[in-house]
Amino acid sequence: MEHRLEQIKKQLHAQSYKLTPQREATVRVLLEREEDHLSAEDVYLLVKEKSPEIGLATVYRTLELLSELKIVDKVNFGDSVSRYDLRKEGAEHFHHHLVCVECGSVEEIEEDLLEEVEQIVEKDWCFQVKDHRLTFHGVCQHCQESVVESTK
Amino acid sequence: MEHRLEQIKKQLHAQSYKLTPQREATVRVLLEREEDHLSAEDVYLLVKEKSPEIGLATVYRTLELLSELKIVDKVNFGDSVSRYDLRKEGAEHFHHHLVCVECGSVEEIEEDLLEEVEQIVEKDWCFQVKDHRLTFHGVCQHCQESVVESTK
DNA sequence: GTTATTGCAAATTGTTTGCAAGTGC
DNA sequence: GCACTTGCAAACAATTTGCAATAAC
């Protein structure tokens, strides 16, 4: 965790940005809640718990900055809020998501899975793929089980 | 086209919604511009050309309704506006998109391409897939050619 | 005649910006 | 000291809502 923070600090410095206390607090929240898909507001409230003086605009600006540096990815799951998702260390590609239509939970898939599809797109559509966004909508394991349960 | 409209009318009636003149005008615009990915504002302006009395809120409400009935899909390509995309006749799945990072153009892919990936997800993640969203970001054929052109 | 639908304007929501004050090297 | 950064409040843009008027069957 500290290692990750150190790494991010370097990335910022490399582009002559500073890791200010506010930015550090924001990154820490993202690291702690790596599994979640927090909105800017969510991040703001969590950061505020430890650094009450921070402003919402600063959080937005920080997330925007991290997004430009490809440290986080901005995602959107159909609702109107942007969510911010930390890239895994060394990940070249954006990871995929499984969104449960029953309970709204979001699971992540790190595996690429799209290599073949991308080759087809490059060849058949003459489109040079740089990145992708893949989200599946469906029913998560947990909700499948509850349905079985409730029909017993 | 008329056939498509007729079909949509039936779908509406099936859920006891009416195909009012405003709704018809909106659907007509979507049919005419099937290839495009229009925002609500875009649709509004186009509908207004032929039916100047329509209100923006009505267009939003109509698009929302069509979206619930799965006649159109609401998409979002990273910017803050929702775009509305008519489903192809009889399409079970949402189609894919190729978004060019150079010129912003959006191309559609009707082919499924994800059958295998979905099987893997169902099996390895125990996730029951209902639908998907797949977007590739990259460089379209046209922009690739212009780069070659400009470095000649 | 009742119920769904509309148009308008006002309200809401998520996000961005201007700017004066503050901070870090 | 100077450029970068912050917090606040105001501005913005996209979308939604309340409501009285209207239209459909």
Side-chain angles (χ1 to χ4, degrees), chain A residues 11-12 15 17 23 60-74 84 87:
Chain A
Q11 275 184 272
L12 285 169
Q15 322 252 342
Y17 291 115
R23 286 177 184 167
Y60 270 103
R61 283 185 281 229
T62 302
L63 292 170
E64 184 58 34
L65 178 62
L66 294 173
S67 185
E68 271 167 34
L69 298 181
K70 306 257 184 199
I71 294 168
V72 306
D73 284 301
K74 206 172 176 178
Y84 298 84
R87 281 210 180 195

Side-chain angles (χ1 to χ4, degrees), chain A residues 71-97:
Chain A
I71 294 168
V72 306
D73 284 301
K74 206 172 176 178
V75 240
N76 192 299
F77 299 122
D79 49 354
S80 55
V81 286
S82 294
R83 299 177 176 283
Y84 298 84
D85 211 354
L86 208 56
R87 281 210 180 195
K88 293 290 179 295
E89 242 187 290
E92 292 173 32
H93 273 299
F94 193 58
H95 54 260
H96 316 310
H97 294 98

Side-chain angles (χ1 to χ4, degrees), chain B residues 101-152:
Chain B
V101 293
E102 300 292 334
C103 68
S105 71
V106 179
E107 214 176 326
E108 304 198 341
I109 295 189
E110 292 301 325
E111 267 74 357
D112 190 331
L113 302 180
L114 285 180
E115 285 173 13
E116 276 181 49
V117 177
E118 289 191 358
Q119 277 175 23
I120 295 172
V121 170
E122 300 237 350
K123 194 173 271 180
D124 295 0
W125 276 267
C126 303
F127 186 87
Q128 188 187 333
V129 176
K130 298 250 182 186
D131 204 356
H132 52 234
R133 306 258 139 161
L134 175 59
T135 304
F136 289 105
H137 298 246
V139 186
C140 72
Q141 185 165 20
H142 182 257
C143 287
Q144 286 172 46
E145 282 163 6
S146 342
V147 172
V148 175
E149 203 59 40
S150 67
T151 52
K152 259 183 194 167

Side-chain angles (χ1 to χ4, degrees), chain A residues 93 96 111-134 136, chain B residues 94-98 109-121 132-137:
Chain A
H93 273 299
H96 316 310
E111 268 73 357
D112 190 332
L113 302 179
L114 286 179
E115 285 173 12
E116 277 181 46
V117 177
E118 289 192 358
Q119 277 175 25
I120 294 172
V121 170
E122 299 239 351
K123 194 173 270 179
D124 295 0
W125 276 267
C126 303
F127 186 85
Q128 187 187 335
V129 176
K130 299 250 182 187
D131 204 357
H132 53 234
R133 305 260 140 161
L134 174 60
F136 289 106
Chain B
F94 192 57
H95 54 259
H96 316 310
H97 294 98
L98 304 179
I109 295 189
E110 292 301 325
E111 267 74 357
D112 190 331
L113 302 180
L114 285 180
E115 285 173 13
E116 276 181 49
V117 177
E118 289 191 358
Q119 277 175 23
I120 295 172
V121 170
H132 52 234
R133 306 258 139 161
L134 175 59
T135 304
F136 289 105
H137 298 246

Side-chain angles (χ1 to χ4, degrees), chain B residues 36-114:
Chain B
D36 296 348
H37 298 81
L38 304 173
S39 67
E41 185 86 33
D42 294 337
V43 174
Y44 171 61
L45 293 173
L46 287 166
V47 173
K48 229 172 152 48
E49 286 176 11
K50 298 198 175 155
S51 318
E53 73 295 347
I54 202 168
L56 178 57
T58 303
V59 172
Y60 270 104
R61 284 186 281 229
T62 302
L63 291 171
E64 184 57 34
L65 179 62
L66 294 173
S67 185
E68 271 167 35
L69 298 182
K70 306 256 184 197
I71 294 167
V72 305
D73 284 301
K74 205 171 175 178
V75 242
N76 192 298
F77 299 122
D79 50 353
S80 54
V81 287
S82 294
R83 300 178 175 281
Y84 298 84
D85 211 354
L86 208 57
R87 280 209 181 197
K88 293 289 178 296
E89 241 188 292
E92 292 173 31
H93 274 298
F94 192 57
H95 54 259
H96 316 310
H97 294 98
L98 304 179
V99 179
C100 180
V101 293
E102 300 292 334
C103 68
S105 71
V106 179
E107 214 176 326
E108 304 198 341
I109 295 189
E110 292 301 325
E111 267 74 357
D112 190 331
L113 302 180
L114 285 180

Side-chain angles (χ1 to χ4, degrees), chain A residues 12 31 54 91:
Chain A
L12 285 169
L31 284 166
I54 203 170

Side-chain angles (χ1 to χ4, degrees), chain A residues 20 22-23 53 58 61:
Chain A
T20 62
Q22 290 90 336
R23 286 177 184 167
E53 72 296 347
T58 303
R61 283 185 281 229

